[in-house]
Amino acid sequence: MPVARHAGIASRAVACRVRRRSVAERVRGVLVALALTAVAVVALGLLAQLRGIGDGPGVPEAVSIVEVGPGESLWQLARRVAPDSPSGAVIERIVELNELSDHVVHPGQPLRVPDGRAPQ
């Protein structure tokens, strides 16, 4: 092997093999990166929903009494009575106002709810 001398320093040419990744390995890497990005976006979206970020105003102060509709869940009721407020926070307020032990409601059941449609 030839030796090059430069300013008193000897260096040798070293052969090394560069491992090339196959197409399948590259595609797998891209898919993993996309999956991780999707998981991060979904996690941030859920966190924002739970914290009420970007959902507009908070839970309305006004309270009214409504009847639960047939097949209606607390989530659907929360969206109906306070559509511009975070659903999770409205549900918690409904549970608190009515001293519910669980999140089960029945058609025709009267509930006190935060009223997002009432003038503030």
Side-chain angles (χ1 to χ4, degrees):
M1 189 174 285
V3 176
R5 298 214 178 255
H6 182 67
I9 300 174
S11 65
R12 293 182 190 261
V14 178
C16 64
R17 289 194 316 174
V18 176
R19 183 178 173 270
R20 300 195 95 160
R21 292 174 44 187
S22 70
V23 172
E25 288 175 321
R26 287 184 285 191
V27 168
R28 193 173 325 138
V30 169
L31 291 176
V32 167
L34 287 173
L36 290 174
T37 302
V39 167
V41 168
V42 169
L44 289 173
L46 290 174
L47 180 63
Q49 178 68 22
L50 290 174
R51 298 200 45 129
I53 297 171
D55 281 342
V59 178
E61 294 290 327
V63 175
S64 63
I65 297 176
V66 299
E67 282 190 11
V68 177
E72 191 171 40
S73 67
L74 274 180
W75 185 86
Q76 293 163 324
L77 179 65
R79 297 304 318 147
R80 176 167 57 106
V81 299
D84 296 329
S85 299
S87 298
V90 174
I91 290 170
E92 290 306 313
R93 183 71 176 132
I94 293 170
V95 168
E96 179 184 308
L97 287 169
N98 296 282
E99 299 177 356
L100 299 176
S101 58
D102 55 23
H103 290 121
V104 177
V105 291
H106 305 283
Q109 178 180 2
L111 290 177
R112 293 178 15 201
V113 298
D115 192 346
R117 300 165 296 169
Q120 297 285 323

